[in-house]
């Protein structure tokens, strides 16, 4: 099953994608995570990604399409995927259709998480991630242990693009370039709008109802 988790920054795509992947037994394909991995390697490509990410701008389509093409060719991605933060432009949506069609696959559903802007800002700016195990905390909603480190002992870091100024820029990019992609999927009746406000479990239950799992 191929599912797209759609929504603005901090809407809960990554949190819910992890839950859906263990339920559906398919991998999470998160372009933001893939770009951060590339950036962590210090490669030229990673440096190029960083130039856009640090400003809250979308990375140009071409390198994104290359990343996705490679990922979809991996053996673990042959039975479906949960796409998290991809596609974000009409060119990416068209390209994903074409790539999936090569293996006679198509998007089953687009789950569009809706969260008010001010809540998104709170969620993104409060996020802290463990640099050892990758566990995500939130300073208000899911605070880390009082030691200030992860329960595994790892150091907690804040994403450089999780400042209020950059989160608002990311949101504007979402409105200008990504939200129009919903129309592309709505024409085909693939979109379910999901209320993203509530506990992580409540939102997961809404997603599961939509998918019938
Ligand atoms: P990316 O990493 O994809 O960031 P994003 O889309 O802005 O989304 P986030 O990761 O910030 O939020 P999320 O919706 O996953 O929420 P999460 O579950 O983490 O992209 C970063 C950048 O990379 C982009 O700006 C762009 O430059 C580039 N990029 C990536 N993909 C691209 C593409 N396809 N094309 C071009 N450029 C691309 O939750 C956030 C916080 O809220 C967490 O702390 C979490 O614990 C908390 N939380 C989650 N759910 C709840 C809940 N129900 N209640 C309370 N707290 C909650």
């Amino acid at each position: 099953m191929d599912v797209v988790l759609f929504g603005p920054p901090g809407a809960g795509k990554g949190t819910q994608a992890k839950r859906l992947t263990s339920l559906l037994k398919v991998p999470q394909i998160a372009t933001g995570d893939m770009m951060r991995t590339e950036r962590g390697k210090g490669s030229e490509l990673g440096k190029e990604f960083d130039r856009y990410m640090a400003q809250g701008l979308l990375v140009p389509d071409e390198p994104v399409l290359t990343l996705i093409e490679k990922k979809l060719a991996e053996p673990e991605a042959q039975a479906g995927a949960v796409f998290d933060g991809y596609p974000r432009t009409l060119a990416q949506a068209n390209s994903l259709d074409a790539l999936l069609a090569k293996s006679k696959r198509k998007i089953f559903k687009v789950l569009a998480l809706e969260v008010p802007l001010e809540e998104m800002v709170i969620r993104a700016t409060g996020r802290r991630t463990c640099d050892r195990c990758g566990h995500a905390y939130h300073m208000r909603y899911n605070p880390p242990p009082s030691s200030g480190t992860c329960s595994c002992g790892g150091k907690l870091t804040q994403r450089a693009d999780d400042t209020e100024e950059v989160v608002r820029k990311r949101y504007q990019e979402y409105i200008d370039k990504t939200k129009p992609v919903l129309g592309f999927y709505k024409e085909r009746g693939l979109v379910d709008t999901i209320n993203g406000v509530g506990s992580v479990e409540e939102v997961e239950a809404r997603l599961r109802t939509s998918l019938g799992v």
Side-chain angles (χ1 to χ4, degrees):
M1 186 188 283
D2 288 289
V3 174
V4 173
L5 263 182
F6 202 92
K13 302 181 296 294
T15 303
Q16 296 298 336
K18 284 184 181 57
R19 290 173 169 246
L20 289 184
T21 52
S22 58
L23 198 71
L24 302 175
K25 309 273 183 274
V26 295
Q28 172 189 10
I29 297 187
T31 40
D33 289 347
M34 291 158 75
M35 288 172 191
R36 280 183 285 278
T37 301
E38 197 61 43
R39 200 177 54 183
K41 290 182 200 163
S43 66
E44 282 310 310
L45 187 59
K47 285 179 194 159
E48 188 191 338
F49 290 155
D50 191 45
R51 278 196 286 278
Y52 296 94
M53 295 169 85
Q55 296 179 69
L57 300 172
L58 288 190
V59 168
D61 286 329
E62 204 179 310
V64 184
L65 302 183
T66 309
L67 274 186
I68 286 287
E69 201 166 357
K70 273 194 204 155
K71 190 75 189 172
L72 279 175
E74 289 177 4
E76 62 157 18
Q78 300 313 304
V82 175
F83 295 94
D84 159 9
Y86 179 89
R88 291 198 203 215
T89 62
L90 282 170
Q92 291 180 18
N94 278 306
S95 152
L96 179 59
D97 270 4
L99 283 171
L100 292 178
K102 280 189 197 168
S103 353
K104 301 197 171 17
R105 285 159 60 179
K106 55 184 178 185
I107 299 296
F108 173 70
K109 210 159 246 193
V110 176
L111 302 165
L113 288 168
E114 283 198 337
V115 174
L117 171 60
E118 293 313 316
E119 174 66 10
M120 284 185 273
V121 172
I122 291 170
R123 286 189 187 180
T125 56
R127 171 175 34 204
R128 299 291 183 277
T129 310
C130 174
D131 68 359
R132 188 186 292 171
C133 71
H135 186 80
Y137 293 93
H138 189 278
M139 297 311 283
R140 181 188 298 184
Y141 300 130
N142 176 25
S146 53
S147 59
T149 54
C150 181
S151 50
C152 79
K155 189 175 156 229
L156 298 180
T157 55
Q158 183 175 22
R159 266 170 49 177
D161 62 350
D162 274 346
T163 61
E164 180 168 348
E165 188 191 349
V166 181
V167 173
R168 289 187 188 275
K169 182 67 203 167
R170 284 157 58 198
Y171 178 72
Q172 198 53 50
E173 283 281 270
Y174 170 78
I175 295 295
D176 295 343
K177 298 179 184 163
T178 304
K179 207 170 174 199
V181 177
L182 270 187
F184 172 89
Y185 289 121
K186 273 183 184 163
E187 277 174 15
R188 294 190 241 162
L190 292 178
V191 179
D192 268 5
T193 301
I194 307 290
N195 176 7
V197 178
S199 70
V200 170
E201 291 73 20
E202 284 165 345
V203 178
E204 182 189 354
R206 293 173 200 143
L207 294 169
R208 290 181 64 162
T209 302
S210 164
L211 291 175
V213 293

